[in-house]
Amino acid sequence: MQKLLKLLLVTLLFCFYTFTSPVKAADTTNGEQLFKVHCAGCHMNGGNIVRRGKNLHKKALKKYGMDSLEAVESITANGKNNMSAYKDRLSVQEIQDVAAYVLEQAEKGWR
């Protein structure tokens, strides 16, 4: 009986934790603000002032394998070549917000 009660308690705690602590969804409004502050200097309107072909438009993102949230989050956090890393300046949630904003804008053609 005690084992059953312990199992029930563990199950209830797991369910409570799982359903009351959801991962926050990306906030593209926040992503837009962060992009303006941290990214627009090099990526105005989805462009790239350093390497024109490696921009944030849908075609280029797809060509370079950067057309997923995971890929955009990774390069935003860790940087690559001339791209600075932002993991020490932005939180994980902020990086997710920026990535979601970038992909949303790429879908819209940066309009």
Side-chain angles (χ1 to χ4, degrees):
M1 185 70 173
Q2 269 189 327
K3 285 185 178 183
L4 183 60
L5 287 174
K6 284 181 183 178
L7 180 62
L8 180 61
L9 180 60
V10 168
T11 303
L12 287 172
L13 287 173
F14 175 78
C15 290
F16 176 77
Y17 176 78
T18 301
F19 296 110
T20 59
S21 303
V23 174
K24 183 179 171 196
D27 178 351
T28 55
T29 302
N30 186 47
E32 178 181 13
Q33 295 306 311
L34 292 164
F35 185 89
K36 287 178 181 177
V37 172
H38 297 282
C39 313
C42 292
H43 294 290
M44 177 87 51
N45 297 318
N48 185 332
I49 66 168
V50 179
R51 298 199 57 200
R52 287 187 302 158
K54 290 199 170 184
N55 56 58
L56 303 178
H57 295 278
K58 189 175 180 177
K59 184 177 177 181
L61 291 174
K62 186 169 180 74
K63 178 179 179 179
Y64 295 107
M66 292 288 144
D67 56 341
S68 70
L69 277 173
E70 295 79 13
V72 178
E73 288 170 6
S74 178
I75 199 165
T76 303
N78 303 308
K80 186 176 179 183
N81 301 326
N82 292 328
M83 168 78 184
S84 298
Y86 286 87
K87 64 183 169 194
D88 294 333
R89 293 177 250 183
L90 300 175
S91 69
V92 170
Q93 184 64 53
E94 290 171 326
I95 290 169
Q96 291 171 349
D97 293 349
V98 169
Y101 171 74
V102 165
L103 292 176
E104 177 183 85
Q105 289 305 299
E107 282 295 322
K108 294 179 180 179
W110 287 90
R111 288 181 231 137

